[in-house]
Amino acid sequence: MAYTAIYRKYRPKTFDKMVGQDHIVRTLVNQIETGKIGHAYLFCGTRGTGKTSTARIFARAINCLSPVNGSPCGECEVCRALEDPSSLDVVEIDAASNNGVNEIRDLREKIAYPPVSCRYKVYIVDEVHMLTAAAFNALLKTLEEPPSHAVFILATTEAHKLPATILSRCMRFDFKLIPTERLARLVGDIFDDLGRKYEKEALTLIAKAGEGSIRDALSIADVCDSYAEGVLTYDDVLSVLGTSDTGKIKNLVSAVLRGETGEVFSCVDSLAALGKSMGVLTADVVSYLRDLLVAKTLARPNDVLALPEDKLAELKEVAALAPAVRILRCMEIFSAAEAELKYTTHPRILFETAAVKAAKPESDFTIDALAARVKMLEEKIESGNFTPAKSAVGGENNGAAKANHSSETSGLKKDSEGGANAFTEQKQNDAGTDTAPKGGAGALSAHKADEVMGVITRGLRQSGELMLWAIMQQGLKGEIKGNTFIITAKNDNDYGVLTKEENYRAIKKQLDRFDGAELKIKAETSAKYAEEFANDVDEIKRIFGDDIVIID
């Protein structure tokens, strides 16, 4: 006898065997038991969720002489007659290959004839969205007012393609995707019936690969049953699915999270040697990163991942290499690359570019990347594991001694008579200029300069001052003198931006978290620009006075 695929062999024949569609089963059973049978039904949902199986069960149940709990008994003469595919009373039509107006006209002519041996003549039209516009128009009147002995069951995976005139004439039932846990239990029951031994984690992996479709999951289970000779293991299912070597994926992701660019290229070359497409590799990397994020953020990650203990321990080890925000950013980079791979003629280069970008976050200047880097800094500061980098002032090519000249301004407000670049002292009691929360962080002198800079940068990012936040991230120095916080701009351009009235106020607003703290901005330049800078200082002194401008 010819072999029957698992999904066909275990296709349900009664409503109690249906999986995951309880809301639909309950409605149909109630209609059968009360005799309230409709004339047109629309079953829609993703492939493999039971639409056709439900239609066949319903067709037999409404004709069964003695239904059991709303399901066909399977023993009466009608049930036995309807098990024959050649039955004239239950007609299945494939609309994908019979989608023309002539086929629908032929159906309209035949529907007038009463059933041969049943109570109802049932027409199951599969993939009904494939009918042409003319065919739909030809079906409209018959669908609305068919003979009393006729029942239509339309099935489709794309209900949005059906005309509103068709939808309004049918009782609609939406089939849901099947949960992974329920799919795994179904596959386990079938393997138990077949005598196949298995690991629990293998069942979960099969169910995940089915993505909510019973037919897809059972098709994968069929291959796995033929692949494994003894106990079906997690690694056996990975081999059947064609997933990339998890060891090599782990090595690549580890190198990315450690920022080892050379090792990244080596791992990519090793993965490419497997012969898999870059699209498959990218999807595998994204899936691995997703598992890392779950392992990083959940207290009991195996409730979601359902991995063998050794695999879970390995995953946690890799997840410890980076904070969650870094892993999330890597997921975003590879997900974007996965979409772009459809249009590139150089998939490997695109994949390598994504891997290097993920490995070197400092080379990624998008807002999302900068936000991720700031989040990492915040976490380091909060954990106390933060050491500010030492800044160096570049010298002249001839080795001449460097001279630093600085000018400070305090509380900057544009002077109506001093020109666009002139500022006067901004008093704390200016109306409407300060809404930051007072205190909360204590006295300024009780903190280190890098802690204060962290408070300011976090506040700027949270308040949406992204330009200021980006400038503050470029290694600006801060120092505390008494109750005054002095920020040293690295160049004249940064100094000009920081001393703009609205920018100065935004920074001061964050500094006001410290009791009575004052803010000063200092510009720093090399000896090359000493003369030009000195002229600027003289001009500032002329406008503001010697008591405001300080020269180091």
Side-chain angles (χ1 to χ4, degrees):
M1 183 177 178
Y3 176 74
T4 304
I6 286 180
Y7 79 86
R8 292 180 58 196
K9 181 178 180 181
Y10 289 92
R11 185 188 292 272
K13 295 184 178 180
T14 57
F15 283 124
D16 60 315
K17 298 294 184 181
M18 289 295 300
V19 175
Q21 310 297 346
D22 296 341
H23 62 298
I24 295 175
V25 168
R26 180 177 179 179
T27 304
L28 296 180
V29 167
N30 287 341
Q31 287 189 350
I32 292 169
E33 291 180 341
T34 59
K36 297 178 180 179
I37 309 301
H39 68 278
Y41 295 82
L42 174 63
F43 293 169
C44 48
T46 308
R47 69 186 188 282
T49 50
K51 297 184 298 297
T52 303
S53 296
T54 302
R56 291 174 178 174
I57 296 171
F58 186 69
R60 292 198 301 271
I62 61 178
N63 285 308
C64 179
L65 299 178
S66 53
V68 180
N69 296 325
S71 296
C73 66
E75 297 179 358
C76 66
E77 59 183 65
V78 173
C79 287
R80 290 196 299 268
L82 293 181
E83 287 179 358
D84 185 353
S86 62
S87 172
L88 299 176
D89 292 335
V90 176
V91 182
E92 293 193 30
I93 302 172
D94 175 23
S97 54
N98 299 278
N99 59 358
V101 66
N102 291 330
E103 285 82 358
I104 299 301
R105 285 173 179 167
D106 183 59
L107 182 151
R108 288 173 55 187
E109 292 174 0
K110 293 180 178 179
I111 200 172
Y113 297 105
V116 177
S117 59
C118 298
R119 185 183 312 165
Y120 295 99
K121 193 168 189 176
V122 183
Y123 289 87
I124 301 174
V125 185
D126 207 2
E127 300 301 332
V128 69
H129 63 273
M130 299 293 287
L131 291 178
T132 63
F136 275 126
N137 290 333
L139 182 63
L140 281 178
K141 194 61 178 177
T142 301
L143 192 63
E144 183 175 21
E145 297 179 359
S148 59
H149 61 261
V151 174
F152 282 95
I153 303 178
L154 312 181
T156 179
T157 56
E158 301 180 55
H160 60 279
K161 291 186 177 181
L162 270 64
T165 49
I166 294 291
L167 295 174
S168 64
R169 286 165 167 80
C170 301
M171 298 176 61
R172 175 169 174 166
F173 295 87
D174 289 280
F175 285 69
K176 302 184 298 185
L177 291 172
I178 312 302
T180 299
E181 182 182 353
R182 186 66 186 88
L183 272 179
R185 191 159 67 248
L186 174 64
V187 175
D189 291 342
I190 291 174
F191 277 166
D192 289 340
D193 186 64
L194 294 174
R196 157 65 63 191
K197 295 182 179 180
Y198 53 83
E199 292 180 353
K200 182 179 179 181
E201 294 80 11
L203 298 184
T204 303
L205 186 56
I206 292 173
K208 286 181 179 178
E211 297 181 343
S213 168
I214 297 176
R215 184 166 60 242
D216 288 2
L218 295 187
S219 294
I220 296 169
D222 208 343
V223 180
C224 292
D225 181 45
S226 300
Y227 178 84
E229 296 181 358
V231 177
L232 180 65
T233 65
Y234 184 87
D235 290 333
D236 289 337
V237 180
L238 284 177
S239 299
V240 168
L241 294 175
T243 306
S244 305
D245 188 332
T246 53
K248 289 183 169 59
I249 293 291
K250 173 202 168 188
N251 293 338
L252 172 62
V253 173
S254 299
V256 166
L257 296 180
R258 288 195 300 264
E260 299 173 353
T261 308
E263 183 65 18
V264 166
F265 280 106
S266 177
C267 291
V268 171
D269 186 67
S270 177
L271 283 167
L274 297 175
K276 299 187 183 298
S277 71
M278 289 298 138
V280 172
L281 294 180
T282 308
D284 291 342
V285 171
V286 172
S287 177
Y288 190 86
L289 286 168
R290 177 261 181 188
D291 291 348
L292 281 185
L293 195 58
V294 171
K296 185 78 174 179
T297 55
L298 288 187
R300 298 173 59 186
N302 228 19
D303 291 348
V304 175
L305 299 175
L307 294 172
E309 289 301 324
D310 58 328
K311 299 284 185 183
L312 180 62
E314 183 181 274
L315 206 62
K316 288 183 176 180
E317 179 184 343
V318 178
L321 295 175
V325 67
R326 174 80 190 284
I327 299 173
L328 179 61
R329 180 57 189 157
C330 291
M331 284 181 66
E332 292 173 345
I333 291 173
F334 280 102
S335 294
E338 186 178 11
E340 294 173 6
L341 279 169
K342 301 174 184 177
Y343 309 105
T344 183
T345 55
H346 302 286
R348 177 164 176 172
I349 293 177
L350 183 60
F351 181 79
E352 289 174 336
T353 301
V356 172
K357 184 186 291 186
K360 292 294 182 183
E362 63 270 19
S363 64
D364 189 358
F365 298 107
T366 63
I367 292 297
D368 290 338
L370 292 174
R373 289 162 61 187
V374 168
K375 180 64 176 176
M376 291 170 60
L377 289 174
E378 288 176 352
E379 292 178 355
K380 287 183 178 180
I381 292 172
E382 290 171 359
S383 65
N385 186 26
F386 177 76
T387 303
K390 295 181 179 179
S391 59
V393 180
E396 298 299 317
N397 292 333
N398 59 9
K402 298 181 288 293
N404 290 329
H405 302 268
S406 61
S407 66
E408 297 182 1
T409 63
S410 172
L412 302 172
K413 179 180 180 183
K414 286 192 177 181
D415 192 315
S416 60
E417 297 180 358
N421 294 321
F423 294 90
T424 59
E425 186 173 359
Q426 172 66 43
K427 298 298 183 181
Q428 188 71 21
N429 59 1
D430 278 353
T433 62
D434 185 38
T435 58
K438 303 298 180 183
L444 184 67
S445 57
H447 298 268
K448 295 181 180 180
D450 58 344
E451 294 176 357
V452 178
M453 285 291 279
V455 170
I456 294 174
T457 53
R458 282 198 300 273
L460 290 174
R461 181 175 69 83
Q462 292 168 357
S463 62
E465 300 285 350
L466 297 181
M467 183 188 71
L468 272 180
W469 164 74
I471 291 176
M472 299 287 285
Q473 292 297 305
Q474 303 304 313
L476 299 190
K477 295 185 296 182
E479 60 179 312
I480 299 173
K481 289 185 178 180
N483 206 33
T484 301
F485 189 66
I486 303 172
I487 298 175
T488 302
K490 296 174 64 176
N491 52 60
D492 293 344
N493 183 59
D494 286 351
Y495 175 77
V497 174
L498 295 177
T499 54
K500 283 186 177 180
E501 182 179 11
E502 62 272 19
N503 293 341
Y504 179 88
R505 288 181 179 179
I507 300 172
K508 181 64 170 64
K509 178 178 178 179
Q510 304 306 324
L511 188 64
D512 282 345
R513 299 173 188 274
F514 301 90
D515 297 335
E518 296 294 332
L519 171 66
K520 291 185 180 179
I521 309 296
K522 183 171 68 173
E524 184 177 88
T525 186
S526 63
K528 179 179 179 180
Y529 302 103
E531 182 177 352
E532 178 183 344
F533 190 79
N535 293 334
D536 292 340
V537 170
D538 290 339
E539 181 65 15
I540 293 173
K541 283 182 178 181
R542 185 184 67 79
I543 296 173
F544 296 107
D546 293 346
D547 58 328
I548 294 180
V549 181
I550 303 171
I551 305 298
D552 288 345

